Every structure is written in C-alpha cells, then in structure tokens.
Amino acid sequence: MTVTSLFSGSSGNAILVRAGNCAALVDAGVSFSRLTQALRSIGESPETLSGILITHEHSDHIAALPQIIKHTDLPLFLSRESAYEIYSQFSRRDEAFAARFASRVRTVEAGKSYACGELVFSPFSLPHDSVCCYGYTIGTEQNETILGVATDLGQMTVQARRALAGCENVILESNHDPELLKNGPYPRVLQDRIRSPYGHLSNQDSAALLQAAVRMRVKNALLFHLSRENNRPELALSCAAEALCALGAQNDVRVSVAAPDTPCFFVTES
Ligand SMILES: [Zn+2]
Ligand SMILES: [Zn+2]
C-alpha cells in the first residue's frame, strides 16, 4: 500500500491511498482543478480513483465534491449524518444535483468494515463540531490496519486511541500551538471553538495521542492539518519528538509533517 498526503490544513485536505489497482482519496477539500493537478503530479488522475472516503462535511474536506460529482462516477463513502447535511446544502441550490449526489453516496457506520476495490476500511468516531466526524483505519484484505487517519478532533478519545494504536502508520492532526493561538490573529470566539473538546487537537494533545499509539504498534507518523496561522512545523515536530523521547522510542518511530499543498509520500510500500 502507498499513502501520499496531497493537501493538509484549513485551506484544504486530501490524502491518496493506493493498494494494487485500487486508489482512493480520503477527503477532497480543495478545488477540483487543484486536486486534479496534484494527482497528475504523482502519476494519478480522477479517472484512476475507485472512490472517496469523506471524514465530515466541513468545506476544507469536501470543496471538490460538486465537480467530482459532475466529472466522475466515483462512489462517496461517508456517514449518514454528513451525507444528509451535504444533501441539504446542495438541494437548497439545485435539487437535481442533490439527487445526483445522493445516488453516489454509500453510507458507512463506525465500527463496521467496508471495501472499496482492494482497500478495506473501517470508520471510527471523532469528537468535532460537525454533524458527524469519522477517522478511518485503512488496509487490505491481508492486513486491515496498515494506516490510521484522524484529521479533525478536539480531544483524544478511547475510540481514537484504540483505532490508531492498532495501525503501523498514522496520520494525526497536530493543529495548533496554544501560545500562538492565544496571541494570534483569530478572534476570541474562533479561538474558543478551536480549543474546545470538539475543535482541533493542539501539538501537545497530538503528541500525547501519538505516545499512546506508539506504546502499541505505531512506527510511522505524519503530523497533519497544521494551522498556517497558529502553528509551525518545527513546533509540532519538537512536541512529538519530546513525547517519543519520554518513551525512549525516538529511534523506533519516524515522524514527519505534511506540507500544506505539496504532495508528501508517507507510506511508500506496506
Ligand atoms: Zn472540520
Ligand atoms: Zn478540517
């Protein structure tokens, strides 16, 4: 299996996962043209995809959806709640288009396993201020837990820890540095939203979750969804490095940071 981060952060998120002849995106949160360009730069295209796994209905995760529905026949895997929310938004503008969206939807539930071509995946619930938010464990029939993805969560939960700890590779939100957030440009109400238990994970919380996951199985981590305004890659990395040192695991685990809009090869073969 190969995994490539295409876009990361509040301006848009997308991850490409490929196993054999099957490739799927986790989220499509940038314009269709930017997404297509990024896919082409790594030898893929919307036509080579088999499906899209959607974490939740915020625009930084679904911005390309209208054009994807227009230009492809791809199935869209997402929660019933997010599907209904997106359907409602589309139907206010164009009922026929909303019906087209509905025909692509394959609803998925936390704790169950699904297949998209050769990929096998299982959603798990994340605490976030959307109608529903899922992380995913993704793998193949032979190994269902090669990758764990948790991109938007306000706090560590038992479900998230369990799901990620069972995987060898994890893509984990490391959204903000609390000091930069406090002293940064965001209004108070937005700051409160971000640091709430249904907002986004700070570097420290992310490092604690990584620590818990490393105690089990994780060997490779990609810090994801960093805020451009309220974080720095070096701060996120040093928090994770400190957490690993505290476990004496600094030489056993590879940690990197996803670039906001440059493809980043995370898992090259597994
Ligand atoms: Zn979100
Ligand atoms: Zn997001």
Side-chain angles (χ1 to χ4, degrees):
M1 199 167 102
T2 60
V3 182
T4 310
S5 158
L6 300 176
F7 296 96
S8 161
S10 45
S11 54
N13 299 280
I15 299 159
L16 180 82
V17 182
R18 173 171 278 289
N21 293 325
C22 172
L25 283 177
V26 178
D27 289 332
V30 295
S31 71
F32 186 65
S33 61
R34 288 182 74 204
L35 184 64
T36 304
Q37 213 174 12
L39 286 168
R40 295 229 161 96
S41 76
I42 57 162
E44 302 275 356
S45 74
E47 293 76 38
T48 60
L49 299 176
S50 304
I52 303 181
L53 281 57
I54 295 169
T55 59
H56 65 299
E57 76 281 2
H58 287 161
S59 64
D60 57 317
H61 298 263
I62 61 160
L65 220 49
Q67 294 296 315
I68 286 172
I69 294 162
K70 223 178 250 178
H71 296 290
T72 75
D73 292 323
L74 292 171
L76 309 169
F77 299 93
L78 69 171
S79 70
R80 183 185 299 273
E81 293 86 347
S82 292
Y84 187 73
E85 178 66 25
I86 297 168
Y87 175 84
S88 304
Q89 286 172 23
F90 286 158
S91 67
R92 280 196 284 274
R93 278 175 280 163
D94 182 345
E95 285 209 7
F97 186 74
R100 232 166 124 186
F101 162 72
S103 72
R104 307 290 176 76
V105 167
R106 311 283 181 269
T107 55
V108 295
E109 281 175 48
K112 295 191 175 172
S113 265
Y114 301 88
C116 171
E118 290 164 52
L119 289 168
V120 175
F121 66 93
S122 178
F124 56 95
S125 295
L126 293 174
H128 188 55
D129 54 6
S130 52
V131 293
C132 179
C133 187
Y134 280 160
Y136 289 100
T137 56
I138 306 173
T140 59
E141 252 175 42
Q142 295 75 38
N143 179 359
E144 290 189 17
T145 51
I146 296 173
L147 173 69
V149 179
T151 65
D152 293 59
L153 63 163
Q155 61 183 317
M156 169 157 69
T157 61
V158 174
Q159 293 101 309
R161 203 175 56 209
R162 268 197 205 133
L164 296 179
C167 299
E168 203 163 307
N169 308 282
V170 294
I171 294 181
L172 179 58
E173 168 163 61
S174 195
N175 180 259
H176 60 273
D177 172 80
E179 280 303 304
L180 285 181
L181 178 63
K182 194 170 119 196
N183 301 314
Y186 283 13
R188 182 63 197 264
V189 62
L190 184 53
Q191 290 187 20
D192 288 346
R193 207 213 106 195
I194 289 170
R195 58 169 88 87
S196 92
Y198 294 91
H200 292 279
L201 221 53
S202 71
N203 292 339
Q204 285 75 3
D205 291 342
S206 176
L209 181 49
L210 177 64
Q211 218 173 26
V214 164
R215 283 203 179 96
M216 300 294 287
R217 206 179 151 209
V218 170
K219 292 275 173 265
N220 188 19
L222 183 68
L223 305 178
F224 196 76
H225 211 306
L226 270 72
S227 165
R228 217 184 268 261
E229 290 81 9
N230 306 309
N231 209 351
R232 306 270 177 277
E234 59 276 16
L235 292 177
L237 272 175
S238 76
C239 247
E242 238 173 73
L244 293 176
C245 278
L247 289 181
Q250 63 274 23
N251 298 324
D252 306 331
V253 184
R254 192 172 76 101
V255 183
S256 47
V257 177
D261 50 13
T262 311
C264 169
F265 297 100
F266 173 50
V267 177
T268 45
E269 201 162 322
S270 194

